[in-house]
mmCIF file of all heavy atoms in Angstrom:
data_model
loop_
_atom_site.group_PDB
_atom_site.id
_atom_site.type_symbol
_atom_site.label_atom_id
_atom_site.label_comp_id
_atom_site.label_asym_id
_atom_site.label_seq_id
_atom_site.Cartn_x
_atom_site.Cartn_y
_atom_site.Cartn_z
ATOM 1 N N THR O 67 -51.457 -53.658 -3.665
ATOM 2 C CA THR O 67 -51.266 -52.560 -4.626
ATOM 3 C C THR O 67 -51.679 -51.227 -4.010
ATOM 4 O O THR O 67 -50.999 -50.209 -4.160
ATOM 5 C CB THR O 67 -52.090 -52.834 -5.892
ATOM 6 O OG1 THR O 67 -51.692 -54.104 -6.446
ATOM 7 C CG2 THR O 67 -51.874 -51.747 -6.929
ATOM 8 N N ARG O 68 -52.819 -51.249 -3.299
ATOM 9 C CA ARG O 68 -53.286 -50.012 -2.669
ATOM 10 C C ARG O 68 -52.294 -49.514 -1.625
ATOM 11 O O ARG O 68 -52.064 -48.305 -1.496
ATOM 12 C CB ARG O 68 -54.650 -50.248 -2.016
ATOM 13 C CG ARG O 68 -55.805 -50.347 -3.011
ATOM 14 C CD ARG O 68 -57.083 -50.739 -2.291
ATOM 15 N NE ARG O 68 -57.339 -49.881 -1.141
ATOM 16 C CZ ARG O 68 -58.184 -50.201 -0.151
ATOM 17 N NH1 ARG O 68 -58.824 -51.346 -0.188
ATOM 18 N NH2 ARG O 68 -58.373 -49.369 0.857
ATOM 19 N N ALA O 69 -51.690 -50.447 -0.858
ATOM 20 C CA ALA O 69 -50.721 -50.046 0.165
ATOM 21 C C ALA O 69 -49.500 -49.388 -0.479
ATOM 22 O O ALA O 69 -49.000 -48.370 0.013
ATOM 23 C CB ALA O 69 -50.303 -51.256 0.990
ATOM 24 N N GLU O 70 -49.025 -49.949 -1.591
ATOM 25 C CA GLU O 70 -47.874 -49.366 -2.272
ATOM 26 C C GLU O 70 -48.211 -47.992 -2.840
ATOM 27 O O GLU O 70 -47.420 -47.048 -2.748
ATOM 28 C CB GLU O 70 -47.419 -50.308 -3.384
ATOM 29 C CG GLU O 70 -46.863 -51.644 -2.876
ATOM 30 C CD GLU O 70 -46.557 -52.603 -4.007
ATOM 31 O OE1 GLU O 70 -46.922 -52.284 -5.161
ATOM 32 O OE2 GLU O 70 -45.953 -53.668 -3.740
ATOM 33 N N GLN O 71 -49.411 -47.893 -3.426
ATOM 34 C CA GLN O 71 -49.813 -46.613 -3.988
ATOM 35 C C GLN O 71 -49.995 -45.552 -2.904
ATOM 36 O O GLN O 71 -49.641 -44.379 -3.082
ATOM 37 C CB GLN O 71 -51.109 -46.782 -4.791
ATOM 38 C CG GLN O 71 -50.957 -47.639 -6.038
ATOM 39 C CD GLN O 71 -52.293 -47.921 -6.717
ATOM 40 O OE1 GLN O 71 -53.363 -47.692 -6.131
ATOM 41 N NE2 GLN O 71 -52.232 -48.414 -7.941
ATOM 42 N N LYS O 72 -50.559 -45.969 -1.758
ATOM 43 C CA LYS O 72 -50.784 -45.017 -0.668
ATOM 44 C C LYS O 72 -49.456 -44.494 -0.135
ATOM 45 O O LYS O 72 -49.310 -43.296 0.128
ATOM 46 C CB LYS O 72 -51.582 -45.708 0.449
ATOM 47 C CG LYS O 72 -51.865 -44.852 1.670
ATOM 48 C CD LYS O 72 -52.663 -43.608 1.312
ATOM 49 C CE LYS O 72 -54.069 -43.946 0.829
ATOM 50 N NZ LYS O 72 -54.865 -42.713 0.585
ATOM 51 N N LEU O 73 -48.477 -45.382 0.041
ATOM 52 C CA LEU O 73 -47.184 -44.958 0.552
ATOM 53 C C LEU O 73 -46.468 -44.054 -0.442
ATOM 54 O O LEU O 73 -45.726 -43.149 -0.053
ATOM 55 C CB LEU O 73 -46.329 -46.190 0.854
ATOM 56 C CG LEU O 73 -45.145 -45.984 1.814
ATOM 57 C CD1 LEU O 73 -45.640 -45.459 3.157
ATOM 58 C CD2 LEU O 73 -44.400 -47.290 2.009
ATOM 59 N N ALA O 74 -46.729 -44.277 -1.743
ATOM 60 C CA ALA O 74 -46.085 -43.464 -2.771
ATOM 61 C C ALA O 74 -46.636 -42.039 -2.811
ATOM 62 O O ALA O 74 -46.053 -41.156 -3.445
ATOM 63 C CB ALA O 74 -46.255 -44.123 -4.141
ATOM 64 N N GLU O 75 -47.771 -41.802 -2.125
ATOM 65 C CA GLU O 75 -48.347 -40.460 -2.113
ATOM 66 C C GLU O 75 -47.516 -39.483 -1.280
ATOM 67 O O GLU O 75 -47.657 -38.273 -1.397
ATOM 68 C CB GLU O 75 -49.779 -40.525 -1.563
ATOM 69 C CG GLU O 75 -50.745 -41.272 -2.482
ATOM 70 C CD GLU O 75 -52.138 -41.344 -1.873
ATOM 71 O OE1 GLU O 75 -52.364 -40.685 -0.835
ATOM 72 O OE2 GLU O 75 -53.007 -42.045 -2.423
ATOM 73 N N ILE O 76 -46.656 -40.016 -0.409
ATOM 74 C CA ILE O 76 -45.824 -39.142 0.424
ATOM 75 C C ILE O 76 -44.629 -38.667 -0.399
ATOM 76 O O ILE O 76 -43.798 -39.466 -0.830
ATOM 77 C CB ILE O 76 -45.348 -39.879 1.688
ATOM 78 C CG1 ILE O 76 -46.548 -40.335 2.534
ATOM 79 C CG2 ILE O 76 -44.438 -38.986 2.517
ATOM 80 C CD1 ILE O 76 -46.161 -41.085 3.787
ATOM 81 N N LYS O 77 -44.548 -37.387 -0.629
ATOM 82 C CA LYS O 77 -43.463 -36.777 -1.394
ATOM 83 C C LYS O 77 -42.588 -35.937 -0.468
ATOM 84 O O LYS O 77 -42.894 -35.753 0.725
ATOM 85 C CB LYS O 77 -44.035 -35.896 -2.521
ATOM 86 C CG LYS O 77 -45.071 -36.589 -3.405
ATOM 87 C CD LYS O 77 -44.466 -37.755 -4.185
ATOM 88 C CE LYS O 77 -45.512 -38.381 -5.115
ATOM 89 N NZ LYS O 77 -44.976 -39.550 -5.845
ATOM 90 N N ASP O 78 -41.523 -35.425 -1.042
ATOM 91 C CA ASP O 78 -40.617 -34.593 -0.233
ATOM 92 C C ASP O 78 -41.297 -33.326 0.259
ATOM 93 O O ASP O 78 -40.968 -32.800 1.331
ATOM 94 C CB ASP O 78 -39.377 -34.221 -1.056
ATOM 95 C CG ASP O 78 -38.528 -35.447 -1.361
ATOM 96 O OD1 ASP O 78 -38.668 -36.443 -0.623
ATOM 97 O OD2 ASP O 78 -37.736 -35.394 -2.326
ATOM 98 N N ASP O 79 -42.253 -32.806 -0.532
ATOM 99 C CA ASP O 79 -42.909 -31.553 -0.155
ATOM 100 C C ASP O 79 -44.261 -31.766 0.508
ATOM 101 O O ASP O 79 -45.033 -30.822 0.668
ATOM 102 C CB ASP O 79 -43.078 -30.672 -1.404
ATOM 103 C CG ASP O 79 -43.863 -31.387 -2.507
ATOM 104 O OD1 ASP O 79 -44.065 -32.618 -2.377
ATOM 105 O OD2 ASP O 79 -44.260 -30.718 -3.487
ATOM 106 N N THR O 80 -44.571 -33.002 0.890
ATOM 107 C CA THR O 80 -45.853 -33.270 1.551
ATOM 108 C C THR O 80 -45.864 -32.656 2.943
ATOM 109 O O THR O 80 -44.918 -32.807 3.714
ATOM 110 C CB THR O 80 -46.113 -34.783 1.650
ATOM 111 O OG1 THR O 80 -46.075 -35.343 0.339
ATOM 112 C CG2 THR O 80 -47.475 -35.061 2.269
ATOM 113 N N ALA O 81 -46.973 -31.979 3.262
ATOM 114 C CA ALA O 81 -47.096 -31.353 4.580
ATOM 115 C C ALA O 81 -47.119 -32.422 5.667
ATOM 116 O O ALA O 81 -47.602 -33.533 5.444
ATOM 117 C CB ALA O 81 -48.385 -30.518 4.638
ATOM 118 N N PRO O 82 -46.603 -32.103 6.874
ATOM 119 C CA PRO O 82 -46.562 -33.113 7.953
ATOM 120 C C PRO O 82 -47.934 -33.683 8.288
ATOM 121 O O PRO O 82 -48.072 -34.895 8.486
ATOM 122 C CB PRO O 82 -45.961 -32.329 9.128
ATOM 123 C CG PRO O 82 -45.168 -31.238 8.492
ATOM 124 C CD PRO O 82 -45.922 -30.858 7.255
ATOM 125 N N ASP O 83 -48.966 -32.833 8.370
ATOM 126 C CA ASP O 83 -50.308 -33.335 8.695
ATOM 127 C C ASP O 83 -50.805 -34.275 7.614
ATOM 128 O O ASP O 83 -51.394 -35.331 7.902
ATOM 129 C CB ASP O 83 -51.288 -32.160 8.858
ATOM 130 C CG ASP O 83 -50.981 -31.344 10.107
ATOM 131 O OD1 ASP O 83 -50.258 -31.865 10.983
ATOM 132 O OD2 ASP O 83 -51.460 -30.195 10.200
ATOM 133 N N ALA O 84 -50.570 -33.910 6.360
ATOM 134 C CA ALA O 84 -51.000 -34.781 5.264
ATOM 135 C C ALA O 84 -50.221 -36.087 5.274
ATOM 136 O O ALA O 84 -50.782 -37.162 5.005
ATOM 137 C CB ALA O 84 -50.816 -34.059 3.932
ATOM 138 N N ALA O 85 -48.932 -36.019 5.588
ATOM 139 C CA ALA O 85 -48.123 -37.243 5.642
ATOM 140 C C ALA O 85 -48.612 -38.178 6.739
ATOM 141 O O ALA O 85 -48.672 -39.401 6.550
ATOM 142 C CB ALA O 85 -46.650 -36.888 5.867
ATOM 143 N N ARG O 86 -48.984 -37.602 7.893
ATOM 144 C CA ARG O 86 -49.492 -38.446 8.981
ATOM 145 C C ARG O 86 -50.815 -39.089 8.593
ATOM 146 O O ARG O 86 -51.083 -40.253 8.932
ATOM 147 C CB ARG O 86 -49.648 -37.613 10.258
ATOM 148 C CG ARG O 86 -48.329 -37.341 10.982
ATOM 149 C CD ARG O 86 -48.579 -36.780 12.359
ATOM 150 N NE ARG O 86 -49.142 -35.435 12.301
ATOM 151 C CZ ARG O 86 -48.402 -34.318 12.297
ATOM 152 N NH1 ARG O 86 -47.090 -34.409 12.341
ATOM 153 N NH2 ARG O 86 -48.969 -33.139 12.237
ATOM 154 N N ALA O 87 -51.666 -38.349 7.894
ATOM 155 C CA ALA O 87 -52.947 -38.913 7.448
ATOM 156 C C ALA O 87 -52.718 -40.054 6.461
ATOM 157 O O ALA O 87 -53.381 -41.097 6.526
ATOM 158 C CB ALA O 87 -53.798 -37.817 6.805
ATOM 159 N N ILE O 88 -51.767 -39.855 5.539
ATOM 160 C CA ILE O 88 -51.454 -40.917 4.572
ATOM 161 C C ILE O 88 -50.893 -42.139 5.300
ATOM 162 O O ILE O 88 -51.254 -43.280 4.994
ATOM 163 C CB ILE O 88 -50.451 -40.396 3.515
ATOM 164 C CG1 ILE O 88 -51.106 -39.296 2.665
ATOM 165 C CG2 ILE O 88 -49.966 -41.532 2.634
ATOM 166 C CD1 ILE O 88 -50.136 -38.614 1.711
ATOM 167 N N GLN O 89 -50.019 -41.901 6.280
ATOM 168 C CA GLN O 89 -49.439 -43.006 7.035
ATOM 169 C C GLN O 89 -50.512 -43.772 7.793
ATOM 170 O O GLN O 89 -50.482 -45.002 7.887
ATOM 171 C CB GLN O 89 -48.380 -42.479 8.015
ATOM 172 C CG GLN O 89 -47.630 -43.567 8.776
ATOM 173 C CD GLN O 89 -46.782 -44.414 7.864
ATOM 174 O OE1 GLN O 89 -46.309 -43.946 6.837
ATOM 175 N NE2 GLN O 89 -46.581 -45.672 8.213
ATOM 176 N N SER O 90 -51.490 -43.059 8.354
ATOM 177 C CA SER O 90 -52.595 -43.709 9.065
ATOM 178 C C SER O 90 -53.413 -44.579 8.114
ATOM 179 O O SER O 90 -53.778 -45.716 8.449
ATOM 180 C CB SER O 90 -53.491 -42.647 9.711
ATOM 181 O OG SER O 90 -54.590 -43.249 10.357
ATOM 182 N N ASP O 91 -53.702 -44.048 6.916
ATOM 183 C CA ASP O 91 -54.435 -44.849 5.922
ATOM 184 C C ASP O 91 -53.627 -46.079 5.517
ATOM 185 O O ASP O 91 -54.174 -47.173 5.338
ATOM 186 C CB ASP O 91 -54.737 -43.999 4.681
ATOM 187 C CG ASP O 91 -55.720 -42.869 4.984
ATOM 188 O OD1 ASP O 91 -56.415 -42.967 6.013
ATOM 189 O OD2 ASP O 91 -55.785 -41.898 4.202
ATOM 190 N N HIS O 92 -52.305 -45.906 5.387
ATOM 191 C CA HIS O 92 -51.448 -47.027 5.007
ATOM 192 C C HIS O 92 -51.454 -48.114 6.078
ATOM 193 O O HIS O 92 -51.522 -49.316 5.775
ATOM 194 C CB HIS O 92 -50.020 -46.507 4.780
ATOM 195 C CG HIS O 92 -49.045 -47.574 4.371
ATOM 196 N ND1 HIS O 92 -48.144 -48.115 5.249
ATOM 197 C CD2 HIS O 92 -48.862 -48.206 3.187
ATOM 198 C CE1 HIS O 92 -47.424 -49.032 4.633
ATOM 199 N NE2 HIS O 92 -47.831 -49.115 3.375
ATOM 200 N N GLU O 93 -51.420 -47.709 7.357
ATOM 201 C CA GLU O 93 -51.454 -48.687 8.444
ATOM 202 C C GLU O 93 -52.786 -49.423 8.472
ATOM 203 O O GLU O 93 -52.839 -50.624 8.774
ATOM 204 C CB GLU O 93 -51.199 -47.993 9.774
ATOM 205 C CG GLU O 93 -49.769 -47.465 9.919
ATOM 206 C CD GLU O 93 -49.578 -46.679 11.198
ATOM 207 O OE1 GLU O 93 -50.584 -46.457 11.913
ATOM 208 O OE2 GLU O 93 -48.430 -46.271 11.484
ATOM 209 N N ALA O 94 -53.886 -48.736 8.172
ATOM 210 C CA ALA O 94 -55.199 -49.394 8.120
ATOM 211 C C ALA O 94 -55.233 -50.450 7.017
ATOM 212 O O ALA O 94 -55.787 -51.545 7.192
ATOM 213 C CB ALA O 94 -56.291 -48.348 7.896
ATOM 214 N N ILE O 95 -54.625 -50.119 5.862
ATOM 215 C CA ILE O 95 -54.580 -51.092 4.766
ATOM 216 C C ILE O 95 -53.721 -52.289 5.173
ATOM 217 O O ILE O 95 -54.063 -53.449 4.877
ATOM 218 C CB ILE O 95 -54.027 -50.427 3.478
ATOM 219 C CG1 ILE O 95 -54.978 -49.316 2.994
ATOM 220 C CG2 ILE O 95 -53.862 -51.469 2.369
ATOM 221 C CD1 ILE O 95 -54.442 -48.515 1.819
#
Side-chain angles (χ1 to χ4, degrees):
T67 303
R68 286 173 51 198
E70 294 174 352
Q71 294 173 346
K72 179 60 66 176
L73 200 58
E75 293 178 8
I76 300 179
K77 309 296 183 182
D78 293 339
D79 57 348
T80 303
D83 291 343
R86 283 192 292 269
I88 294 173
Q89 185 66 30
S90 178
D91 293 341
H92 181 257
E93 292 175 354
I95 296 174

